[in-house]
Amino acid sequence: MMQLSHYPAAIAQAAQRANEIDSQLMAVQHQVNRFEGNADRTAAFEMDLKNDAQRKARRFEVLLVNQEYQKSIDTQIRLTLDKANAIAHLEYLRNQFSVAKLEARLAIAQQLSDFESRELVGL
């Protein structure tokens, strides 16, 4: 475990990392939404499509051949996993900090107890 005084900086850094990943994830989500909107527009204006099922199938086809969309989806999946890991690391650091604080309090209490015991005995 690290020194008690180092935890706040480590926790802040871990929180910042989680926020950075979240920002990247939002940017990729925006990109995915744009690709999906373009696919919806393409399917909506094809006159030979007769119903919603055909439009959905066409939308799926348009997205399936779009390599940038596929890369964006892969990136979104990776960033979602990275964000989950970053948040888990952040919580781990927070929990370690809580344990370190409790251990420090226990050590202080034991020192005070030992000191009071010596006073009672007259040492």
Side-chain angles (χ1 to χ4, degrees):
M1 277 213 279
M2 65 179 89
Q3 290 181 359
L4 201 58
S5 62
H6 294 150
Y7 278 102
I11 289 170
Q13 186 179 16
Q16 183 178 3
R17 177 69 183 135
N19 288 337
E20 289 169 359
I21 293 170
D22 194 43
S23 176
Q24 292 172 353
L25 190 57
M26 286 189 294
V28 170
Q29 182 61 47
H30 179 70
Q31 200 173 29
V32 165
N33 290 342
R34 197 170 16 132
F35 288 132
E36 289 175 348
N38 288 338
D40 288 339
R41 188 180 67 234
T42 300
F45 291 106
E46 289 189 13
M47 296 302 173
D48 57 328
L49 302 177
K50 296 178 175 72
N51 56 37
D52 281 343
Q54 289 179 345
R55 282 193 260 308
K56 285 181 184 177
R58 178 65 180 138
R59 176 187 188 272
F60 179 75
E61 289 173 353
V62 168
L63 292 174
L64 194 61
V65 297
N66 186 337
Q67 293 300 315
E68 290 180 49
Y69 176 76
Q70 297 302 322
K71 286 180 191 175
S72 295
I73 292 296
D74 291 343
T75 301
Q76 185 179 31
I77 291 167
R78 182 185 51 78
L79 287 172
T80 300
L81 179 61
D82 290 350
K83 180 182 172 186
N85 288 334
I87 290 173
H89 180 65
L90 175 61
E91 288 304 312
Y92 175 74
L93 285 173
R94 286 179 177 162
N95 290 336
Q96 269 191 324
F97 185 46
S98 294
V99 168
K101 288 189 303 187
L102 289 172
E103 288 174 346
R105 287 179 184 161
L106 178 62
I108 291 169
Q110 286 174 339
Q111 288 173 352
L112 289 174
S113 177
D114 290 346
F115 179 71
E116 289 174 358
S117 295
R118 287 186 202 133
E119 278 189 345
L120 288 174
V121 175
L123 295 175

